Amino acid sequence: MDRLSTEYQELLISLKQRIRTSQIRAALAVNRELILLYWQIGREILLRQSQQGWGAKVIDRLSQDLREEFPELKGLSRTNLMYMRAFAEAYSEEQIVQQVVGQIPWGHNLMILDKVKDLAARRWYAQQVTTNGWSRNILAIQIESQLYQRQGQAVTNFEATLPPDRSDLVRATLKDPYVFDFLSLGTAAQERELESALVQHIERFLLELGAGFAFVGKQFPLEIGGQDFRLDLLFYHLKLRCYVVIELKVDEFKPEYAGKLNFYLSAVDDLLRHPYDEPTIGILLCRSKNGVVAEYALRDINKPMGVAEWTEALTKSLPDPLQSELPSTTELEAELGAIEWEEDVGG
């Protein structure tokens, strides 16, 4: 009887997992068909307007007629038809719809459409939603912080210290600057204050670091040669399969910082790294840096590391052209509010 009960429980668990997997696949397929339908409707409107000179008023009539025919469908309002037209105009190729933007919900697509103007950036954010499972609120935060522009921008020595295929992968995990807009430290903050504040806001900190970072500890102790040393922050990256040491500095980057971090990386590789782990990576987060000085400091370092800035306010660190593109708080609230109409846009 016990054996039968055990086998039954194993069968039940297996079937539950299969059903959940099937439900997820079905939901993704439904979403993909819905997004493709919206794109096709938008494309037809575009074609009629460009080839036959139809005006904007035809969208009002089309919305009314379609809603009368399909009263059970919630995404046929005039506003949503306008978005379908803009969606088809933004993505001219059906392949992009099928393979990229069709994988994410319509509400996410509208946010990307409203807030991101560059096609490559739009595709990148859509892929990140699929890869990382971002909610719409998280997507809004990432777009607002100009994540696309900051990815892979840190000064590193990865090309000299890592194999080519891994160098590109690791470089993509770093950004510059890192934006800690959830902090209020001021310019006189000490490194321990910064460290404690980041750990207190660990969820936001991990979100800013990016997918894959698992927090191991702060002031992580290492005994080397009979002396005690402490790492500011230690992480393990689940995708890169390696330890990541982060050293925090509240002043401008200095060349000696790279030497100390190199020492820590050697120690972690010897004392913590398992045979199946990749080489440990180091990140120096400084209040500011001189890019040329950082490049010289890393040139002959034999451990993989990068130097990036951290800031509490994005607009302080971006060049003027990007600053002018940032929406105001009022604009953000208005745009986010316009998207929160699930009943009207179909999810």
Side-chain angles (χ1 to χ4, degrees):
M1 188 68 177
D2 289 341
R3 178 184 175 187
L4 178 60
S5 178
T6 300
E7 291 178 349
Y8 175 79
Q9 289 299 325
E10 291 175 350
L11 174 62
L12 181 60
I13 292 172
S14 174
L15 292 180
K16 284 180 178 179
Q17 183 58 45
R18 290 184 185 181
I19 292 172
R20 289 192 185 100
T21 302
S22 177
Q23 288 176 328
I24 292 172
R25 289 176 178 171
L28 288 173
V30 169
N31 179 77
R32 193 161 49 244
E33 287 300 315
L34 178 66
I35 302 301
L36 181 59
L37 172 63
Y38 284 175
W39 179 80
Q40 291 170 341
I41 292 174
R43 185 183 58 175
E44 291 298 325
I45 294 173
L46 269 178
L47 287 174
R48 299 301 191 280
Q49 289 184 329
S50 62
Q51 295 179 0
Q52 301 178 23
W54 287 10
K57 288 186 177 181
V58 72
I59 294 180
D60 295 338
R61 179 178 175 182
L62 192 60
S63 171
Q64 181 179 344
D65 290 342
L66 288 175
R67 284 194 288 184
E68 287 180 0
E69 182 67 24
F70 304 101
E72 73 281 3
L73 297 184
K74 300 176 181 180
L76 298 174
S77 67
R78 177 189 182 278
T79 302
N80 210 34
L81 288 180
M82 293 291 289
Y83 267 120
M84 293 177 202
R85 182 191 183 283
F87 185 67
E89 191 172 29
Y91 305 108
S92 58
E93 299 178 8
E94 183 175 340
Q95 184 178 9
I96 296 178
V97 180
Q98 292 274 20
Q99 297 181 356
V100 184
V101 296
Q103 308 299 316
I104 66 176
W106 182 237
H108 286 64
N109 272 305
L110 295 190
M111 181 171 290
I112 293 173
L113 195 64
D114 278 340
K115 296 179 177 296
V116 183
K117 305 308 176 186
D118 178 71
L119 178 59
R122 283 173 169 167
R123 295 183 62 172
W124 186 85
Y125 279 114
Q127 289 169 340
Q128 294 304 307
V129 170
T130 302
T131 301
N132 301 312
W134 288 345
S135 68
R136 213 182 311 173
N137 286 337
I138 297 301
L139 174 61
I141 291 172
Q142 303 291 30
I143 294 175
E144 182 182 352
S145 73
Q146 298 284 330
L147 180 60
Y148 174 75
Q149 286 84 350
R150 296 185 290 125
Q151 288 292 112
Q153 296 303 307
V155 177
T156 75
N157 64 354
F158 294 158
E159 290 185 3
T161 58
L162 295 172
D165 55 341
R166 185 164 178 80
S167 173
D168 292 340
L169 181 63
V170 176
R171 180 186 294 276
T173 67
L174 271 65
K175 61 194 74 166
D176 190 24
Y178 285 81
V179 181
F180 304 144
D181 56 358
F182 47 89
L183 304 182
S184 299
L185 295 175
T187 56
Q190 300 298 308
E191 284 162 12
R192 288 294 179 88
E193 292 180 83
L194 172 59
E195 173 190 298
S196 296
L198 290 176
V199 174
Q200 288 173 9
H201 298 83
I202 191 66
E203 289 186 6
R204 289 293 301 272
F205 184 32
L206 288 171
L207 175 63
E208 177 60 10
L209 287 178
F213 282 87
F215 181 57
V216 178
K218 72 170 183 174
Q219 289 299 302
F220 192 89
L222 291 177
E223 183 179 339
I224 306 167
Q227 299 183 40
D228 293 329
F229 296 88
R230 292 185 178 273
L231 313 178
D232 284 350
L233 297 168
L234 181 63
F235 294 84
Y236 189 86
H237 200 287
L238 301 175
K239 294 182 179 179
L240 299 177
R241 297 295 178 185
C242 67
Y243 284 101
V244 180
V245 177
I246 295 182
E247 285 292 292
L248 302 171
K249 302 298 177 184
V250 294
D251 57 357
E252 185 177 17
F253 170 79
K254 295 180 176 62
E256 54 263 36
Y257 295 160
K260 185 177 181 180
L261 181 56
N262 188 57
F263 168 75
Y264 285 155
L265 297 183
S266 295
V268 171
D269 277 340
D270 282 349
L271 301 176
L272 301 180
R273 179 185 172 195
H274 293 85
Y276 51 80
D277 288 333
E278 296 287 346
T280 305
I281 297 167
I283 304 175
L284 275 165
L285 289 182
C286 304
R287 175 73 83 166
S288 62
K289 71 176 186 305
N290 181 304
V292 176
V293 172
E295 288 178 9
Y296 272 102
L298 299 187
R299 179 173 295 181
D300 294 320
I301 297 287
N302 63 0
K303 295 291 185 180
M305 67 176 68
V307 180
E309 297 179 359
W310 65 270
T311 178
E312 295 173 70
L314 180 65
T315 53
K316 291 180 181 178
S317 59
L318 290 178
D320 290 339
L322 280 181
Q323 288 191 34
S324 63
E325 292 179 8
L326 291 178
S328 67
T329 303
T330 303
E331 290 172 331
L332 280 172
E333 290 176 350
E335 290 178 359
L336 285 172
I339 294 175
E340 296 296 336
W341 26 286
E342 296 279 354
E343 294 182 355
D344 202 24
V345 301

